[in-house]
Amino acid sequence: MSAEQSPIRAVTSLDVTLGTVEVGTLVRTPGDYNAFSFEQSYRALGERPILSLSFRALDGSLRKDPKPEHRSLPAFFANLLPEDKLREAMERHHGEAVRPGNDFDLLVALGGDLPGAVRVTPSGGKPVSETALKLAGKARFSLAGVQMKLSVMKNTGKGTGITLPAGNAEGDYIAKFPSLNLVGLSENEFAMLALSEKLGMEVAERELVDKEEFEGIPPEFNTMAKGRVLLVRRFDRSGIGRVHIEDFAQVFSVQPGLKYTGAGYHNIADVLNRAVSFDAAIEFVRRLALAAVTGNGDMHLKNWSVIYRGDGRKPMLAPAYDVLSTIAYLPGDQFALSLGGAKAFRALTQDRWRNFANRARLPEGAVLKAVAETAATIHDLWPKLPERDVVPKAVLELIDKHMAAMMPVLDPTVGSKS
């Protein structure tokens, strides 16, 4: 069956739910416009679970329905889909049903297993059958981002190994596969997650596993790269159901292509301070300091999220993820977003952090203290961290070199402590 004949193309309306709550409807119209509207029942709820902070007005009420988007989904939904190579692989995997580059098609195919607790299903009261959609036996998860990754589950019965979810099962781990070009990428992130945890930051459980432990991986997702796979437990899945999350591209209602330009770090800090807590904003500052010390230049809008635990009405800063040293592969790398008017790591002097604090409406003293203390603690912890031993020597040397250069920039007292 060609994409032109696929029932997926015939789907023009999707019901959007958040957990068990009906939230709204997403439709595509002739001319390739996509529009989202809230259900009146959701608007009428006195205490409603939050779909996105981007839809919430200052007084807590819902904003007007967003304007229709031409040839793309509204930003919240567009950011639920994979990007670049991962998207290309998923489109090839569903090649009989999904037209390349068509957001709505792909959302129909993957809408049952999206990041967070949101689901989309064809409208009409009765979902289109898997057989009709040509989805039986297909991978049907969506993970935001560009790295080759899969939502997987560990077999606990007689069979061993790590596989894709079957039927209505859902993966509770993300498997991040090694890169052909970036040596030791999995080991790099594994060590940085361990460092984050030592710093008292909330991070997901993780382990390094061999590619041989995976079974039944479709060829579209199987890379030729050698090396270990980073297996991370999903924090948007739990034993009692899905947990809602949204990234800051969704919070700021910008399309995925604007994840490097849609806002600055001070904007994220300001939202956290107002919508979550002062402590969350300072924790964000600590994570920024970690990224600066370790040389992580890929902390764009989609690599920061809020999570809605419990009743889904209160955002919290989500656990740290995608923490690694990019400077080990890209010597001239810099921050993904602007901090105090600068992106270059070595330009992140105290004056820049003061500028950031003022833009974020945070006390200068609290910001400078969080940055300096984080840098000093890394200075003490990193050389003795057992997990650093898994990082390839050449990569580790570059990380160490960057850290040594950054310490006096972020904490002028480091030299006197050595």
Side-chain angles (χ1 to χ4, degrees):
M1 178 180 294
S2 69
E4 292 294 318
Q5 300 169 314
S6 167
I8 278 186
R9 187 180 180 185
V11 175
T12 59
S13 178
L14 294 168
D15 293 334
V16 179
T17 57
L18 188 60
T20 59
V21 178
E22 295 181 0
V23 172
T25 305
L26 186 65
V27 299
R28 58 176 163 189
T29 64
D32 208 10
Y33 281 88
N34 300 305
F36 173 70
S37 59
F38 286 104
E39 291 286 346
Q40 286 303 120
S41 59
Y42 180 74
R43 286 189 175 277
L45 287 176
E47 298 289 343
R48 68 178 75 87
I50 298 174
L51 178 65
S52 172
L53 290 175
S54 66
F55 297 130
R56 192 173 71 170
L58 292 177
D59 63 0
S61 64
L62 281 179
R63 298 181 184 274
K64 294 180 179 179
D65 296 337
K67 294 181 180 179
E69 295 280 349
H70 188 225
R71 295 186 178 176
S72 62
L73 293 170
F76 175 83
F77 298 96
N79 281 291
L80 295 172
L81 298 176
E83 303 170 75
D84 296 347
K85 297 297 182 183
L86 182 57
R87 175 170 178 145
E88 291 172 11
M90 189 61 78
E91 288 179 341
R92 288 196 302 271
H93 187 60
H94 289 282
E96 294 184 355
V98 171
R99 291 167 290 179
N102 192 295
D103 281 5
F104 201 98
D105 282 0
L106 192 58
L107 189 64
V108 174
L110 309 182
D113 194 359
L114 301 168
V118 65
R119 299 175 193 257
V120 300
T121 54
S123 302
K126 185 177 181 180
V128 179
S129 71
E130 288 188 2
T131 301
L133 292 179
K134 295 292 183 181
L135 298 180
K138 294 284 188 179
R140 297 175 57 189
F141 63 86
S142 179
L143 295 172
V146 302
Q147 183 181 354
M148 193 56 66
K149 65 186 82 168
L150 299 175
S151 181
V152 298
M153 59 191 300
K154 289 184 177 181
N155 289 331
T156 56
K158 286 186 177 180
T160 58
I162 302 168
T163 63
L164 294 176
N168 292 323
E170 296 178 353
D172 48 8
Y173 290 87
I174 294 176
K176 305 178 80 170
F177 286 83
S179 168
L180 277 170
N181 304 316
L182 309 178
V183 177
L185 189 65
S186 297
E187 292 84 353
N188 180 336
E189 185 170 353
F190 179 77
M192 292 302 165
L193 284 168
L195 176 60
S196 303
E197 188 170 56
K198 281 289 186 181
L199 289 166
M201 298 174 184
E202 185 181 6
V203 297
E205 297 176 27
R206 68 274 168 199
E207 59 185 301
L208 290 171
V209 299
D210 295 324
K211 285 182 68 177
E212 289 71 24
E213 295 188 40
F214 291 81
E215 299 176 353
I217 301 301
E220 295 89 353
F221 303 102
N222 203 354
T223 71
M224 299 299 292
K226 296 180 180 180
R228 308 197 75 187
V229 179
L230 179 63
L231 198 64
V232 180
R233 182 176 285 276
R234 296 185 63 164
F235 51 77
D236 63 337
R237 301 290 185 260
S238 73
I240 58 174
R242 299 184 183 186
V243 182
H244 193 47
I245 57 171
E246 65 169 321
D247 63 44
F248 272 86
Q250 293 171 301
V251 170
F252 293 127
S253 193
V254 299
Q255 291 290 333
L258 299 177
K259 63 186 179 182
Y260 290 102
T261 58
Y265 289 126
H266 63 281
N267 300 117
I268 298 177
D270 182 44
V271 169
L272 290 172
N273 191 29
R274 290 185 292 107
V276 183
S277 68
F278 172 76
D279 287 345
I282 295 302
E283 173 62 14
F284 172 68
V285 173
R286 294 179 68 238
R287 295 186 190 181
L288 280 176
L290 170 66
V293 171
T294 57
N296 185 353
D298 203 38
M299 296 308 289
H300 50 68
L301 291 177
K302 294 185 67 59
N303 281 341
W304 304 95
S305 293
V306 290
I307 187 168
Y308 300 89
R309 296 186 170 109
D311 59 15
R313 298 200 295 263
K314 175 64 178 176
M316 302 171 63
L317 180 62
Y321 61 98
D322 284 1
V323 291
L324 71 158
S325 175
T326 63
I327 203 78
Y329 310 107
L330 303 168
D333 209 9
Q334 57 185 4
F335 257 160
L337 306 175
S338 173
L339 188 145
K343 289 186 177 182
F345 291 122
R346 297 195 190 188
L348 302 179
T349 61
Q350 289 192 333
D351 284 343
R352 294 295 183 183
W353 289 97
R354 290 190 184 95
N355 188 314
F356 159 83
N358 292 328
R359 293 185 184 189
R361 290 179 282 191
L362 294 172
E364 288 183 7
V367 169
L368 292 175
K369 180 181 178 182
V371 172
E373 288 183 348
T374 302
T377 306
I378 294 171
H379 180 264
D380 294 336
L381 289 176
W382 176 246
K384 298 174 285 189
L385 190 75
E387 288 83 356
R388 64 178 267 133
D389 293 339
V390 305
V391 182
K393 183 179 179 181
V395 175
L396 186 60
E397 288 176 351
L398 291 169
I399 295 173
D400 287 346
K401 180 180 178 181
H402 176 78
M403 284 191 176
M406 286 302 300
M407 290 301 176
V409 176
L410 300 185
D411 179 12
T413 69
V414 163
S416 62
K417 299 174 184 176
S418 300

